[in-house]
Amino acid sequence: MKEDNCLHAALICLVMLYYSHAITTEKLNHTRPSLHGHHEKGKEGQVLHRSKRGWVWNQFFVIEEYTGPDPVLVGRLHSDIDSGDGNIKYILSGEGAGIIFVIDDKSGNIHATKTLDREERAQYTLTAQAVDRNTNRPLEPPSEFIVKVQDINDNPPEFLHENYHANVPERSNVGTSVIQVTASDADDPTYGNSAKLVYSILEGQPYFSVEAQTGIIRTALPNMDREAKEEYHVVIQAKDMGGHMGGLSGTTKVTITLTDVNDNPPKFPQSVYQMSVSEAAVPGEEVGRVKAKDPDIGENGLVAYSIIDGDGMDMFEITTDYETQEGVVKLKKLLDFETKKSYSLKVEAANVHIDPKFISNGPFKDTVTVKISVEDADEPPVFLKPSYVFEVQENAASGTVVGKVHAKDPDAANSAIRYSIDRHTDLERYFVINAEDGNIKTIKALDREEIAWHNISVFAVEVHKQHQEAKVPVAIKVVDVNDNAPKFAAAYEAFVCENARSNQQFITISADDKDESANGPRFIFSLPPEIIHNPNFTLRDNRDNTASVLVRREGFSRQKQDLYLLPIVISDGGLPPMSSTNTLTIRVCGCDSNGSLLSCNAEAYILNAGLSTGALIAILACIVILLVIVVLFVTLKRQKKEPLIVFEEEDVRENIITYDDEGGGEEDTEAFDIATLQNPDGINGFIPRKDIKPEYQYMPRPGLRPAPNSVDVDDFINTRIQEADNDPTAPPYDSIQIYGYEGRGSVAGSLSSLESATTDSDLDYDYLQNWGPRFKKLADLYGSKDTFDDDS
């Protein structure tokens, strides 16, 4: 650093001395405004004139980054008219005037007061002028000049990035381009070598190199192996001044990663793998795993596994788990420990993607031996067949043997087996199985026409291990026998015209048989022997399971006979054959000349002899109307109801009985007969309800009937209440019961005159006039009495 500062100071001094001497010389030898010339003779006698001009100054130079104690002298301005008496004043204006650059107004010396940086500003434009010190009058026109900042090597090179990352395939050839790094220098590239850069490698040899002028990094060693070393750290330097001593420098770090290529084959870490599997394992179950190691990565390290040899190729298979790069050995078929106890496989592992450039490193595969031992397991019984199919004739007797199933214990113990039928598959219990030997028998007769196939399931269970069981389907076909006679295929009803011709066919019939075709068609149609010579109809077998019925004679009449029943015998082709007699109904009908049906009613002729059809319809309509009227009358009569309350004058409950004698009050039981207050109809012990019509008479119990002459009114009332409560003919709604007894404690007071003898109250009974016609008698009685008392 000290050497750099000394160099800067020396350069500044030299430049200043050089320019100061030049300026002084020019000022002494030339005057600015004065122009004069002198004559020179040419080669051919021609006189040449050279114009004399003033010194043209328009730029100064100043070194950047000057750090001396005094301001830097940039230059000196001097006018030819300056006589040195101090009357001229120099003025400086423009960029940085007064701040960066100052001028001595007497001597014209210009100084830089601040340190300049060319990288911030390369030049300044200023204007100088000489004026009269006293009047400030310009003595000369303004003169513009430029101050250029002279560059020094004060900026080191800088890379675009502090860190670079690059990739290059492993085993690349020497000189393979990896990456280009670039640095820049802020110094002036047009002045000296301050910005001339040279690249070099500081770290990363001998693997990589860098081009000095371009900064391109290249591989320097062949066969670099990613599996040995994957990442390299390289330091690149950029130095200015063309790389010479004293130049500034900058560095950057480059991380170079070797990318993988498939240059390594897969390799098993061992030569033999031992595995085991239970004989109870199901196909698809995993047995074990093998793995070949491949140091390559990505698709270059993908490995596929296959079985290429061994006695277990048919029993096992291998798949590739690409997530773990393992070969998964799986069971392909069921195993049997008792049949074979071990297997051997030869497994190959090979790369999926092979790079042809490195094929010489192959082969890119490896093999290994896998030995698999089968472990014994407690197995359930095994039927000799996966399913059974038996046949049995329908209508076979109970106990008929259908077939036999057989199962065995595959284990070495060979346990005894017991058999049973799954009753969910034989709900009607048609079959039974012998638990010891597996014989299946019928329990009841079978009907093929009802169920043609029976599908049942049979269980086989080890005697000493009930949890070990097997199940097998058994299909039982019911073989058909000829046990169904043929019948008409439909309910036939034929008609024949009265004017039918002899041997005319009027219907074709067919038959149907529930048995199979072997015991059904061909059908044979015939008439019974007793009517083989039927005078009316004949039958013709068409030999195609149909028959035609023909008319044997002419001249049928509905008046004589309108219906014929023709028995027909139908036989099937079974062994032995079955037959049935079916009856064909034949109606005689009236037809036109073309044989078209007109009417089949026998009454048509009868109607012509008597009344017309219109007259009969009118008679029937009248009869129906009369019947409707009668029904309506009866219905209305039945719906008529009796009133709920019968207003009869002789009903004692609603009559007021007047007595001329005054009793001794309610306590006087001798003054009147209490039986008079009773309902006359209740004397006999039963009072019929008049608000309803009872369905049957209710006979009261004798013990509840009060004595006719009883004077105990409470007992009388309680008896009547009990009768009403126990009356089954009483409706479910309320009914008013009227009694001849006036109870105590009534809020309305008593209307009886029995207490009048012991009461001195003077009551006004005029309000009885407002109670209506039912109380008119009382109003007259008491009103008249009051009037009589008033008169007296």
Side-chain angles (χ1 to χ4, degrees), residues 735-749:
S735 178
I736 299 175
Q737 296 288 339
I738 301 175
Y739 300 98
Y741 174 72
E742 190 175 357
R744 297 184 179 88
S746 174
V747 178

Side-chain angles (χ1 to χ4, degrees), residues 642-712:
E642 296 181 1
L644 295 178
I645 300 176
V646 181
F647 297 96
E648 297 179 0
E649 293 182 358
E650 62 271 17
D651 191 351
V652 180
R653 292 175 293 177
E654 295 191 8
N655 291 334
I656 299 176
I657 302 174
T658 304
Y659 298 93
D660 293 335
D661 57 341
E662 292 187 6
E666 292 184 355
E667 300 299 331
D668 186 5
T669 59
E670 301 296 336
F672 63 93
D673 187 0
I674 191 65
T676 308
L677 298 178
Q678 298 177 358
N679 193 327
D681 294 334
I683 299 299
N684 298 326
F686 175 72
I687 301 175
R689 297 284 298 276
K690 294 188 178 183
D691 53 348
I692 62 170
K693 184 178 182 180
E695 297 180 358
Y696 57 90
Q697 294 294 327
Y698 166 64
M699 299 303 295
R701 288 174 293 178
L704 299 178
R705 184 184 305 170
N709 298 325
S710 174
V711 297
D712 192 344

Side-chain angles (χ1 to χ4, degrees), residues 183-374:
S184 61
D185 197 317
D187 292 327
D188 189 359
T190 63
Y191 178 78
N193 294 326
S194 299
K196 186 178 182 180
L197 305 180
V198 175
Y199 298 94
S200 61
I201 184 168
L202 301 182
E203 295 181 14
Q205 300 95 340
Y207 306 104
F208 300 94
S209 63
V210 64
E211 292 183 357
Q213 304 302 323
T214 61
I216 297 176
I217 303 174
R218 299 181 182 275
T219 57
L221 283 181
N223 296 326
M224 286 190 292
D225 191 5
R226 184 199 65 83
E227 288 73 31
K229 186 176 182 180
E230 183 176 5
E231 193 172 80
Y232 295 85
H233 298 282
V234 179
V235 178
I236 301 298
Q237 174 185 266
K239 190 174 184 180
D240 58 15
M241 298 300 291
H244 294 97
M245 184 179 296
L248 302 178
S249 64
T251 60
T252 185
K253 293 182 179 180
V254 182
T255 302
I256 301 176
T257 303
L258 297 182
T259 57
D260 184 60
V261 297
N262 191 11
D263 58 341
N264 295 282
K267 199 74 175 176
F268 284 105
Q270 58 195 70
S271 59
V272 178
Y273 283 87
Q274 296 286 345
M275 299 179 184
S276 61
V277 60
S278 173
E279 65 171 338
V282 297
E285 186 173 333
E286 181 178 328
V287 178
R289 295 187 174 220
V290 297
K291 184 174 183 179
K293 295 183 178 180
D294 191 330
D296 296 322
I297 60 175
E299 66 175 12
N300 297 317
L302 294 180
V303 179
Y305 298 88
S306 60
I307 300 175
I308 60 175
D309 197 6
D311 58 358
M313 293 182 65
D314 295 335
M315 306 300 295
F316 300 92
E317 62 183 356
I318 189 168
T319 59
T320 303
D321 186 346
Y322 287 103
E323 291 185 0
T324 61
Q325 290 299 301
E326 294 177 319
V328 183
V329 180
K330 295 182 179 180
L331 184 62
K332 190 175 180 180
K333 296 181 179 180
L334 291 174
L335 301 174
D336 186 7
F337 173 80
E338 288 73 23
T339 303
K340 190 173 179 61
K341 297 179 175 59
S342 64
Y343 296 88
S344 178
L345 303 173
K346 188 175 183 180
V347 177
E348 179 184 81
N351 279 134
V352 178
H353 303 284
I354 299 176
D355 193 339
K357 294 188 296 185
F358 304 100
I359 195 68
S360 59
N361 295 359
F364 287 86
K365 58 185 177 181
D366 192 17
T367 59
V368 71
T369 300
V370 178
K371 294 185 177 181
I372 303 174
S373 59
V374 181

